[in-house]
Amino acid sequence: MTTSPLLQVQHLRKYFYITKGLFSRVAGQVHAIEDVSFDIAPREVLGLAGESGSGKTTIGRAVLRLVEATSGQVLFDGKNVLDFDARTLRDFRRSAQIIFQDPYASIDPTMTVADVVAEPLRVQSLARGSELVDRVEKLLADVSLSADFMRRRPAELSGGQRQRVVIARALAVEPRFIVADEPVSALDVSIQAQIIRLLEDLEEQRGFSMLFISHDLAIMEYLSDRIAVVYLGRLMEIGPSTQVVSRPRHPYTEALISAVPDTTNERKRIILKGEVPSPVAPPSGCVFRTRCPYALPACSQEVPAMREVLPGHWKACLRDDVP
């Protein structure tokens, strides 16, 4: 029996309009997300990979309606999040939370740790008084912080401790879905491993689904069930994580994987030519063609459709003979 997806993203687009002049005339638009579709099943972790500026953070925020999508659908339990009114959207926030990249920037520096973690419980009217204190203490314990941290402020914490507080806050309302937006990129390497293991343990214990956004495919292979690769706002490839990393089917994925440190020196290093095109004027056809070592004249003529090349493994590329 097939499990219905918890989240379905269908033909999602987000354009940021560029205005000029006294009357704010629209002079262009940034194609931040262009026709992106994917599903996430209950208890599944989907990794979203890509270079800086690829649009992966905008995808995560559009899914949660932290930025408003231009078009498309985001179905959560079959209901379109993009159609929610203010009250329904507030209820949705109990089911879907985000862990931001910079833990210091996402915490009010004037608040104590207890207040930071308790805030969503107060906003959603889920606890008060001694029950609130008990729940905050339990949440901190779940992220390996003692009750002594409750009276501290963000400036008194290390980067790893601040990120644990942010994770505790996200867990406070017992969400079923979490967007983790580069949650370890601002941390030291040794601390990164601790936070990744913590997220893995929490996902197994609590059973939430997660969209894990990162540029680090090594971390993503370890944590994610599947990996989706995005370039210039478009989905290039999606499939089982081990399969995507060990046998990439899209040239862009191949290039990303070649950049992961390899102690065996067996992996061929691929240096992409040129610069990432401007999202204001993306290339015609396949947006990756201007940097692709395997591009054909036909790649400029049509946008490649996502097609299944192995069971559960899809790519948007015209060629089957590469990589």
Side-chain angles (χ1 to χ4, degrees):
M1 185 169 124
T2 304
T3 303
S4 298
L6 175 67
L7 181 81
Q8 296 171 278
V9 177
Q10 299 177 348
H11 306 293
L12 189 67
R13 288 180 170 85
K14 174 59 183 177
Y15 304 149
F16 293 100
Y17 295 100
I18 302 169
T19 58
K20 289 184 178 180
L22 181 63
F23 299 102
S24 297
R25 177 178 57 87
V26 175
Q29 56 189 19
V30 176
H31 296 246
I33 309 173
E34 191 67 73
D35 199 19
V36 167
S37 300
F38 59 84
D39 296 344
I40 300 180
R43 303 186 69 99
E44 182 184 22
V45 178
L46 176 67
L48 189 61
E51 297 170 284
S52 296
S54 62
K56 54 189 188 296
T57 289
T58 306
I59 291 172
R61 294 184 178 223
V63 164
L64 297 181
R65 272 191 67 180
L66 298 179
V67 297
E68 294 292 341
T70 302
S71 63
Q73 290 189 319
V74 177
L75 304 178
F76 189 83
D77 276 341
K79 299 176 182 177
N80 190 5
V81 175
L82 306 186
D83 290 338
F84 287 174
D85 58 21
R87 180 176 179 179
T88 311
L89 186 61
R90 178 177 172 175
D91 292 339
F92 171 66
R93 301 278 184 239
R94 289 186 59 175
S95 297
Q97 288 286 306
I98 187 168
I99 300 168
F100 292 101
Q101 177 178 355
D102 186 346
Y104 192 78
S106 62
I107 300 176
D108 186 336
T110 66
M111 297 174 69
T112 65
V113 167
D115 287 335
V116 169
V117 178
E119 185 177 29
L121 294 170
R122 290 195 181 102
V123 169
Q124 295 286 351
S125 302
L126 296 177
R128 63 175 65 182
S130 60
E131 181 189 359
L132 180 64
V133 175
D134 291 343
R135 289 185 65 167
V136 169
E137 188 172 337
K138 174 64 167 59
L139 286 162
L140 290 177
D142 287 345
V143 297
S144 302
L145 292 177
S146 70
D148 295 338
F149 282 86
M150 293 176 69
R151 294 182 295 276
R152 298 189 190 182
R153 298 185 187 277
E156 302 173 66
L157 307 179
S158 67
Q161 290 168 343
R162 284 196 290 266
Q163 194 60 294
R164 290 174 188 272
V165 171
V166 172
I167 293 170
R169 179 179 62 184
L171 295 175
V173 293
E174 300 181 357
R176 298 165 58 204
F177 173 63
I178 290 177
V179 172
D181 183 11
E182 298 267 14
V184 298
S185 63
L187 306 176
D188 293 338
V189 174
S190 60
I191 305 301
Q192 287 183 11
Q194 294 176 20
I195 298 299
I196 290 299
R197 283 195 295 269
L198 174 63
L199 287 173
E200 181 185 34
D201 290 343
L202 290 169
E203 191 275 330
E204 289 180 357
Q205 293 165 12
R206 292 174 174 254
F208 53 77
S209 301
M210 181 162 56
L211 180 64
F212 182 82
I213 299 170
S214 179
H215 62 277
D216 193 325
L217 281 160
I219 291 176
M220 196 167 287
E221 181 185 16
Y222 172 78
L223 185 64
S224 304
D225 299 298
R226 290 186 300 144
I227 293 175
V229 180
V230 64
Y231 177 81
L232 213 62
R234 283 190 178 273
L235 208 58
M236 299 285 105
E237 182 170 0
I238 185 168
S241 57
T242 302
Q243 195 165 285
V244 167
V245 173
S246 65
R247 193 182 176 189
R249 305 297 295 174
H250 194 283
Y252 178 57
T253 310
E254 182 190 29
L256 287 182
I257 292 169
S258 80
V260 175
D262 179 20
T263 56
T264 66
N265 294 318
E266 295 178 356
R267 186 182 296 134
K268 181 177 70 171
R269 185 76 167 92
I270 299 173
I271 306 297
L272 294 177
K273 62 183 180 181
E275 300 293 329
V276 178
S278 169
V280 177
S284 62
C286 175
V287 291
F288 184 60
R289 67 176 175 82
T290 57
R291 303 177 72 200
C292 179
Y294 312 112
L296 299 171
C299 297
S300 66
Q301 303 301 315
E302 60 179 297
V303 177
M306 290 292 288
R307 56 194 179 91
E308 193 171 24
V309 291
L310 292 169
H313 194 156
W314 300 68
K315 73 170 182 178
C317 181
L318 298 179
R319 299 188 65 163
D320 283 322
D321 56 331
V322 294

